[in-house]
Amino acid sequence: MPRWTLAALLAVATTIVQAQAPSLPGYAGHGAESVSREAIARYAPPPLPPDVTGPIQRLLDVRGPSTGLVAPDGARLFFNWAVTGTPEVWRLDTPLGYPVQLTGGEDPTSVVDVTPDGRLLVLSRDRGGEENPGLYIQPVDGGALQAIHHVKGSRALYGFTTHDSRSIYYAANDVRPDSYALYRYDLATRRSERILEEPGLWSIADHDDIVDGGVRLLLRKSTGALTAEYHEWTSESRALVPVIGYDEKAEYDVAYAARDDEFVVRTNKLGEFRRLYRFHRGAALEPVGPAGPMDVDSFELDQAKRRLYLERNDGGYTRLVVLDATTYAELPFDAPADAEHVRAGRATPDGRFVTIGIETGRGPQQSYVWDWERRALVAWSRPNAPEVDLARFAVPSLDHYTARDGTKIPMFIRYPAGCAPSAETSAEPCPVVVQFHGGPEGQARPGFSPRSQLFVDAGFLFAEPNVRGSDGYGKAWLSADDGPRRLSVITDIEDAGQELRRRFTRGGKAPRLGIMGGSYGGYATLIGMTMFAGTYDAGVSIVGISDLRTFLHNTAPYRRVLRASEYGDLERDAEALRKLSPTSYLDRVRDPLLIIQGVDDPRVPAGEAIQIQEALAARGTPSQLILLEGEGHGAARRSGQVVMLGHALQFLVEHLRPRASRS
């Protein structure tokens, strides 16, 4: 059998797509340039009344900053915060001190690293919602940003800064939109040098400094939505040497271990759940760390190779485990008992300090810094909650519903006052909103959520299922919806609605039921309102896929191969893609539908929303489309979030709540 290169596969895929293009519904491309000014004007969002926007504005003020990055000496914390309405970069000079804003404007900006000498920040900045971020540097005391790489239509992905703070390594798809080249940026000359230009979706997974200023890179080449192969590259040889995953289709995350010639590997190849292994070339994977029916969501070794931080997924709750990087023995680390999520950030180069994010169900995440020498956990950030009583927030409870084949599907439910199972039966059943997560390999998780609370405050029982295909429940669950197999489990969407309607019927009267979601959740919403028409009484699809065929044809090139591994091949799986596309069932639609879409979206093009809206309008079916100019795959700016949430809430209140119960 011939060995196919990624370049060859891409060429074949492009030929297939071009051959099929004339038979596909008619739109092309993604982003603002693919949407006419006429369409943007026609589907501009109508104004919202103050009684709708006011509660949203107040809840959007309830937020906490990101976990952040601690300075190498532990004296400062740098973090991302959207308190201005746009994600920007901030600095704290003392624990719980007054935050200093370092970046501004309307372009979302985030801090991705602090150089080891503590002098510079490395920043990622997007333009609107394009999702083509560039890389910048900025002095830690503030000041102008200096561009490393920001090319129109290109994504720049940070790798690392060398220990001597002289070079920054990154990846960018400026040479080919479907491949990433690797670059070294010299901080003294302020110039970039391309070091690897090989077809493939490359990124820098880890690195080691070697003598005479050279580096050894561990490179990840993504081969599917979750699968990857790993290679080594050195500045001396400039050759790619396979490490693991070559000629496989397996899920791997790999880093250099503390011991020479050893790797730490996270994979589910040898079991149902992802766990950690130590690995030597040519040897078998050897398990390390905790076992049991629980995924390791992520792991990170500090740069000093002293400690290994693992985040384990306990049915949606995040548990932090710390191991000695050499012996893999578990190290004692205490976290608050009521924490639903405990997450580790980046450690300082010497490994002494590490940022810790702690979140409960009744407050935004708070950032701490753990000092291994003093064994002290110090709070650094203060979350915001103006004019809001956090004690009244609904804490999600873990529940299940039964699919038609008997499978138990986990879901989290938030109950408004008077709607909990223990509450006295009211004359009217509480209306229900079912929200499906994105991904599709995402996971609805418990924790603090002002957005969910917005619907709870409006009197909705808020349910979030983790249907088959969701992450966090093992390999079989995760892969159950890959490609044509989705046809066997897509009914989980219908089963959720049917059981929740039965379960919350009161006095012989069934509740009104809504469905909503973003990205894949938007697709699930469209499926719920088309293929399973009648299951839900109203739907809100946000940046959702309306036709899997046109989506695969028009999504950004760097995503196309990865998404095909999840949804199916345009030629081989053409019939399954048709059956799984909401546009195939437009004749069934009978209930009102709201579609919200960002104009700049590179993932799910705006054409997906426009084509289904125009097809429904031609049939006289009740539907509405809102295009958000300057936003992409969702709303990043506060103004866009208010519009998106406000119209979703207003629409569901109008169609699900009896007029007598509206306040």
Side-chain angles (χ1 to χ4, degrees), residues 272-284:
E272 188 62 22
F273 291 88
R274 302 180 185 100
R275 67 170 302 183
L276 283 194
Y277 300 84
R278 59 195 299 183
F279 172 71
H280 297 269
R281 284 188 183 89

Side-chain angles (χ1 to χ4, degrees), residues 373-384:
E373 282 190 13
R374 296 176 52 233
R375 298 200 60 82
L377 187 66
V378 178
W380 271 76
S381 69
R382 296 181 189 272
N384 276 13

Side-chain angles (χ1 to χ4, degrees), residues 560-604:
R560 190 169 296 135
V561 171
L562 306 184
R563 292 296 88 195
S565 70
E566 174 66 43
Y567 293 110
D569 178 85
L570 270 169
E571 183 179 40
R572 184 180 63 251
D573 303 316
E575 181 60 15
L577 291 172
R578 184 192 68 79
K579 290 180 178 179
L580 287 163
S581 292
T583 51
S584 298
Y585 307 96
L586 298 183
D587 59 319
R588 301 182 185 182
V589 180
R590 65 193 198 205
D591 294 303
L593 174 64
L594 172 63
I595 304 160
I596 303 175
Q597 175 68 47
V599 169
D600 292 340
D601 195 341
R603 301 192 219 177
V604 177

Side-chain angles (χ1 to χ4, degrees), residues 61 63-65 77 79 81 83 92 94-99 364-367 379-385:
D61 281 332
R63 71 188 97 191
L77 186 71
F79 55 92
W81 206 8
V83 70
L92 279 169
T94 58
L96 303 179
Y98 188 81
Q365 175 180 277
Q366 191 164 1
S367 296
W380 271 76
S381 69
R382 296 181 189 272
N384 276 13

Side-chain angles (χ1 to χ4, degrees), residues 397-421:
S397 58
L398 178 59
D399 207 320
H400 294 80
Y401 70 93
T402 304
R404 62 192 62 188
D405 63 359
T407 302
K408 297 290 185 182
I409 310 292
M411 65 178 169
F412 292 98
I413 301 181
R414 288 175 167 87
Y415 294 94
C419 294

Side-chain angles (χ1 to χ4, degrees), residues 196-521:
L196 179 68
E197 184 184 340
E198 180 83 11
L201 300 173
W202 295 95
S203 59
I204 300 170
D206 203 355
H207 73 283
D208 269 340
D209 296 316
I210 56 179
V211 295
D212 299 325
V215 294
R216 177 175 64 151
L217 304 183
L218 181 63
L219 302 179
R220 175 187 173 99
K221 182 180 180 182
S222 295
T223 57
L226 296 171
T227 59
E229 59 187 50
Y230 283 78
H231 301 253
E232 274 193 318
W233 179 96
T234 68
S235 51
E236 293 175 339
S237 70
R238 293 189 171 247
L240 291 168
V241 178
V243 174
I244 195 171
Y246 187 72
D247 238 6
E248 288 188 75
K249 268 290 187 179
E251 185 178 336
Y252 290 113
D253 287 301
V254 187
Y256 287 124
R259 297 175 178 175
D260 290 340
D261 299 321
E262 184 172 294
F263 300 88
V264 178
V265 178
R266 182 185 75 120
T267 185
N268 57 10
K269 180 180 178 179
L270 303 185
E272 188 62 22
F273 291 88
R274 302 180 185 100
R275 67 170 302 183
L276 283 194
Y277 300 84
R278 59 195 299 183
F279 172 71
H280 297 269
R281 284 188 183 89
L285 293 165
E286 180 184 342
V288 296
M294 199 182 298
D295 269 333
V296 174
D297 269 348
S298 64
F299 75 94
E300 184 164 347
L301 271 73
D302 58 27
Q303 296 178 49
K305 301 289 194 258
R306 298 176 65 185
R307 299 176 188 90
L308 179 58
Y309 298 88
L310 287 68
E311 293 178 8
R312 303 188 76 205
N313 188 332
D314 184 7
Y317 299 87
T318 308
R319 314 301 185 197
L320 180 63
V321 177
V322 187
L323 305 180
D324 182 285
T326 302
T327 66
Y328 300 105
E330 188 167 341
L331 300 175
F333 176 83
D334 296 325
D338 63 342
E340 296 189 353
H341 302 287
V342 182
R343 304 179 175 97
R346 189 87 53 81
T348 52
D350 63 1
R352 174 178 172 179
F353 300 101
V354 62
T355 50
I356 303 291
I358 296 176
E359 180 185 339
T360 69
R362 295 198 185 276
Q365 175 180 277
Q366 191 164 1
S367 296
Y368 294 76
V369 173
W370 173 260
D371 182 343
W372 282 102
E373 282 190 13
R374 296 176 52 233
R375 298 200 60 82
L377 187 66
V378 178
W380 271 76
S381 69
R382 296 181 189 272
N384 276 13
E387 299 187 30
V388 173
D389 178 12
L390 296 179
R392 69 175 177 79
F393 271 56
V395 176
S397 58
L398 178 59
D399 207 320
H400 294 80
Y401 70 93
T402 304
R404 62 192 62 188
D405 63 359
T407 302
K408 297 290 185 182
I409 310 292
M411 65 178 169
F412 292 98
I413 301 181
R414 288 175 167 87
Y415 294 94
C419 294
S422 59
E424 292 185 13
T425 303
S426 59
E428 291 286 339
C430 296
V432 180
V433 170
V434 186
Q435 176 172 277
F436 289 89
H437 62 69
E441 59 281 276
Q443 183 185 19
R445 304 187 75 155
F448 185 73
S449 176
R451 294 188 178 200
S452 302
Q453 187 65 31
L454 180 69
F455 292 89
V456 172
D457 286 346
F460 293 113
L461 189 151
F462 198 78
E464 298 175 274
N466 280 313
V467 296
R468 281 171 281 192
S470 302
D471 208 349
Y473 304 96
K475 184 166 56 179
W477 194 274
L478 178 63
S479 62
D481 67 343
D482 288 354
R485 280 184 283 181
R486 194 177 309 274
L487 286 166
S488 300
V489 299
I490 196 76
T491 49
D492 288 355
I493 296 170
E494 182 180 31
D495 293 341
Q498 290 179 344
E499 176 155 333
L500 287 168
R501 196 184 295 273
R502 287 193 299 269
R503 186 185 301 188
F504 294 105
T505 292
R506 297 290 182 267
K509 187 172 183 180
R512 300 280 291 171
L513 216 63
I515 181 173
M516 68 178 291
S519 192
Y520 183 79

